[in-house]
Amino acid sequence: MHLHLRAAAESDIRDDHDWLAAFMNAAWDVIEVEHAAGVADAIEKDYGRLDELYRTAAGAGATDAELPVFGGRQPAGAPTDRYPDPPLILLEPAGVTRAAAFLATVSFDALWARLGGRIVTSMGPDWDDATVREMYETHHRSLRGFYERAAAAGHAVIKAGWF
């Protein structure tokens, strides 16, 4: 399971589920190249807990905590009678800018102090605190850089769930 994020100029994409599914499928095939170029990111299986971690900031009064992971909307033409395959989210440039601002100002240490223990426990007995924390801190740094670059370029972000 992966959450795949890809930044793109709005003029280069279509607000259409099928078109974006093909775009993201092609982008997944070159994820390493696009990640190195700074226009893509991916989080393996930990993205739900990362979203939960960010949302703890909302309880402390932060805004836009929902944007980095699951924020955005389904593109036009997404099926309504079944689960979309793949599930896609489109975050427009204004939302990307807000997500970047949230990630730039939120304290990872404060978030981890609130929820880190529960995340470590959920991983099972074979995981130690330092390893799990480093994993999530790495995800956080990677997303922060990704959104910073996307916002600076005025890009939208497309998110695909690969299962």
Side-chain angles (χ1 to χ4, degrees), residues 8-44:
E10 274 189 304
S11 61
D12 292 342
I13 60 173
R14 295 183 195 158
D15 183 6
D16 175 82
H17 185 273
D18 291 341
W19 190 93
L20 288 171
F23 175 82
M24 291 301 282
N25 191 48
W28 186 247
D29 289 342
V30 292
I31 183 70
E32 293 87 7
V33 172
E34 291 192 341
H35 187 271
V39 297
D41 203 357
I43 302 168
E44 184 181 5

Side-chain angles (χ1 to χ4, degrees), residues 3 9 22 46 49 59 64 66 70 84 86 96 104 108 119-120 123 125 132 135 143 145 147 155:
L3 178 66
D46 300 318
R49 288 290 187 169
D64 299 327
E66 76 287 353
F70 294 129
V96 171
F108 181 83
I119 290 174
V120 171
M123 300 288 286
V132 176
M135 223 168 47
L143 275 183
Y147 274 105
H155 286 169

